[in-house]
Amino acid sequence: MVRGKIRSLSVRDVRFPTSREQHGSDAMHTDPDYSAAYVIIETDTADGLKGYGLTFTLGKGTEVVVCAIDALSTHVVGRDLKEIVSNFRGFYRQLTSDGQLRWIGPEKGVIHLATSAVLNAVWDLWAKQEGKPLWKLLVDMDPKQLVSCIDFRYITDALTEDEAYEILKNGKQGQKKREEQMLKQGYPAYTTSCAWLGYTDEHLSELCTKALKEGWTRFKVKVGADLSDDIRRCKLIREIIGPNNLMMLDANQRWDVQEAIEWVTKLAAFQPLWIEEPTSPDDILGHATISRALASLGIGVATGEQCHNKVMFKQFLQAKALQYLQIDSCRLGSVNENLSVMLMAKKFEIPVCPHAGGVGLCELVQHLILFDYICVSGSLENRMCEYVDHLHEHFKYPVVIKNAAYAVPQEPGYSTEMKEESVRQYQFPSGQVWKELNSEQQGKLG
């Protein structure tokens, strides 16, 4: 039962020095430090339950997100949790439509990242109070209640509230069977951890070989910095994984439109399933041009990890600019907005293959993709969820992979809670970056 008044919201800047070993490196982000603005919500209830939320960042700038969260906290502290969840659409709109704060959005950038962190914490607390993992909280909801959590403003030309309700109502058919299937088999995953751009060929070969032995059959390769280097690396990986396993490419927004077409055409011999983020993440028509050009090669376009909001996803779908839709649990406005995007993807018959390359993203997005299969898409065709093998040890309930699939989480909540000792160790000094810290300071922070 939902209960309690929110008495405090605190936020901490947590950064991990992943750039030291080139974890997470790609053509555009050469030295990422996987980081998070980490939110904790407390209520006046005696049960001691707290809501934990986060939004993913790459190091510098996390302090800006922290400031944005502090600014949004005035809409949260003092509110009754039952009041929030009984009118979740209204609460979502209150956060995204603050008459002054929306000016530095609206519904995009730092403000939207902050919104996601706050709402992720609210969903975590709600699920904990109900004694369910987040995916199960969603699965057990009545379609009308689910629809009431979604703000349909700006997307009714692509998906109406009535259409969303019909999709969810139809999704009830066979739901129990699909839930049992997930509990038994898990949700299929692909790995990005083997082929970060900064890895040497030797390290890349070692990781791919190890992954094969562990049962992985789907591999993503970072490309885009140098064509000859990409050809060499893709050739090496294809030789290791064989002709029957899947390879995906990710350029992380590196190219112009025509450059993307020409570059990927030269990599087509390695049979990639998709090219991810081939150009500016905002260029919807550019993605559509690339999609048309690569269709004859059997290569799809995937994007979404830096798609600002549901309106952009709507336009990507309307323009037939993507063939694989990549929701992100921290870029969009939490569960509420991801629900709308998953429902639009269902209507347009585009598979959802979430982005999860970052600290905590695997933990969160596993809940969303389970819900999508059980209640929305009902299909595993051309569907898989990204997995990166980094930093899970810092979470109280880390994601579990079995047989290259996400095992279904059983603990109540959204799997967002970090270990307090990890937060203390990696909480960042205000206003600094890793390279500015001396060796003693760096040692204290990991």
Side-chain angles (χ1 to χ4, degrees):
M1 180 179 177
V2 186
R3 57 198 176 274
K5 180 178 289 187
I6 297 174
R7 68 181 183 189
S8 70
L9 185 156
S10 60
V11 57
R12 298 160 83 173
D13 182 340
V14 184
R15 309 189 194 185
F16 301 94
T18 50
S19 62
R20 293 177 182 173
E21 296 180 334
Q22 290 289 287
H23 302 320
S25 56
D26 59 54
M28 294 294 280
H29 311 96
T30 56
D31 60 345
D33 285 323
Y34 277 9
S35 307
Y38 183 57
V39 171
I40 304 172
I41 288 176
E42 298 184 55
T43 71
D44 59 3
T45 58
D47 56 25
L49 295 176
K50 301 177 183 179
Y52 297 86
L54 61 85
T55 196
F56 171 59
T57 57
L58 288 186
K60 288 183 289 186
T62 307
E63 69 277 9
V64 181
V65 183
V66 168
C67 288
I69 291 169
D70 282 335
L72 288 173
S73 67
T74 57
H75 294 291
V76 183
V77 177
R79 294 289 296 273
D80 185 87
L81 187 62
K82 186 175 182 180
E83 174 194 346
I84 289 174
V85 303
S86 63
N87 183 23
F88 221 147
R89 178 186 301 173
F91 182 67
Y92 172 91
R93 187 174 288 192
Q94 184 177 0
L95 292 181
T96 58
S97 300
D98 179 291
Q100 295 182 7
L101 292 175
R102 79 180 302 274
W103 189 259
I104 55 174
E107 295 180 60
K108 63 175 71 74
V110 170
I111 286 294
H112 219 42
L113 292 172
T115 297
S116 179
V118 171
L119 289 174
N120 284 341
V122 172
W123 279 99
D124 178 59
L125 181 57
W126 184 8
K128 285 177 177 173
Q129 289 194 352
E130 297 289 352
K132 298 178 181 181
L134 188 278
W135 69 267
K136 183 63 172 171
L137 175 69
L138 296 173
V139 165
D140 289 348
M141 272 192 205
D142 178 83
K144 288 186 178 180
Q145 186 178 15
L146 280 166
V147 167
S148 74
C149 295
I150 300 170
D151 185 357
F152 287 89
R153 183 165 57 178
Y154 307 137
I155 64 169
T156 53
D157 54 325
L159 180 75
T160 66
E161 187 167 341
D162 288 342
E163 287 174 323
Y165 173 74
E166 287 299 316
I167 290 172
L168 290 167
K169 187 175 72 171
N170 293 336
K172 286 295 181 181
Q173 299 176 21
Q175 176 180 308
K176 184 177 180 181
K177 182 178 179 181
R178 291 191 294 275
E179 182 175 338
E180 291 172 350
Q181 178 191 358
M182 287 294 98
L183 288 167
K184 182 178 180 181
Q185 300 176 4
Y187 195 93
Y190 73 86
T191 178
T192 302
S193 299
C194 298
W196 297 113
L197 200 63
Y199 285 178
T200 64
D201 287 1
E202 291 75 18
H203 192 39
L204 190 154
S205 299
E206 177 187 341
L207 291 174
C208 285
T209 301
K210 182 174 181 288
L212 279 172
K213 292 178 180 178
E214 293 173 349
W216 291 95
T217 60
R218 305 172 182 92
F219 299 79
K220 190 163 79 179
V221 183
K222 296 290 184 175
V223 297
D226 180 84
L227 180 57
S228 61
D229 185 54
D230 287 348
I231 291 172
R232 188 191 75 256
R233 293 169 74 251
C234 286
K235 182 175 185 292
L236 174 62
I237 292 172
R238 179 52 79 187
E239 288 174 348
I240 294 172
I241 70 175
N244 298 322
N245 289 325
L246 292 181
M247 177 191 291
M248 290 76 70
L249 306 179
D250 186 357
N252 290 95
Q253 316 149 34
R254 180 70 181 223
W255 304 310
D256 283 344
V257 172
Q258 190 57 39
E259 184 183 17
I261 295 168
E262 294 171 357
W263 199 302
V264 177
T265 298
K266 292 174 182 176
L267 298 176
F270 305 108
Q271 299 178 293
L273 179 67
W274 75 52
I275 176 63
E276 183 174 329
E277 288 197 311
T279 191
S280 165
D282 298 348
D283 190 354
I284 296 166
L285 297 182
H287 278 82
T289 299
I290 296 168
S291 293
R292 289 193 297 270
L294 297 181
S296 63
L297 298 174
I299 302 172
V301 168
T303 195
E305 70 180 77
Q306 294 213 23
C307 187
H308 295 305
N309 50 44
K310 60 185 183 290
V311 176
M312 282 194 68
F313 272 118
K314 176 191 74 172
Q315 294 181 2
F316 270 108
L317 292 165
Q318 290 172 327
K320 299 180 180 179
L322 51 74
Q323 287 71 53
Y324 301 91
L325 188 149
Q326 297 176 308
I327 59 171
D328 183 285
S329 57
C330 294
R331 173 71 61 179
L332 295 183
S334 189
V335 178
N336 312 69
E337 192 168 16
N338 272 300
L339 289 173
S340 69
V341 175
M342 288 186 285
L343 288 163
M344 284 193 289
K346 170 64 175 177
K347 179 180 175 180
F348 283 82
E349 298 183 343
I350 294 295
V352 174
C353 300
H355 169 245
V359 60
L361 297 188
C362 293
E363 276 71 19
L364 275 69
V365 85
Q366 62 181 330
H367 294 269
L368 301 180
I369 201 61
L370 285 167
F371 168 77
D372 180 65
Y373 174 63
I374 295 170
C375 296
V376 181
S377 73
S379 172
L380 293 178
E381 183 178 0
N382 285 329
R383 297 166 190 270
M384 53 190 143
C385 186
E386 183 175 25
Y387 174 72
V388 295
D389 189 19
H390 305 299
L391 307 173
H392 303 294
E393 67 274 15
H394 299 294
F395 285 82
K396 188 173 181 179
Y397 302 111
V399 65
V400 175
I401 296 291
K402 294 181 180 179
N403 301 317
Y406 277 86
V408 176
Q410 298 296 316
E411 299 83 6
Y414 199 3
S415 304
T416 43
E417 184 176 353
M418 289 186 179
K419 295 177 180 177
E420 179 57 29
E421 57 267 31
S422 292
V423 174
R424 284 199 303 267
Q425 182 177 359
Y426 292 97
Q427 186 164 336
F428 209 72
S430 176
Q432 294 183 283
V433 296
W434 278 108
K435 293 176 182 177
E436 294 172 352
L437 300 181
N438 60 42
S439 57
E440 181 180 355
Q441 289 172 315
Q442 289 184 358
K444 289 180 181 178
L445 289 168

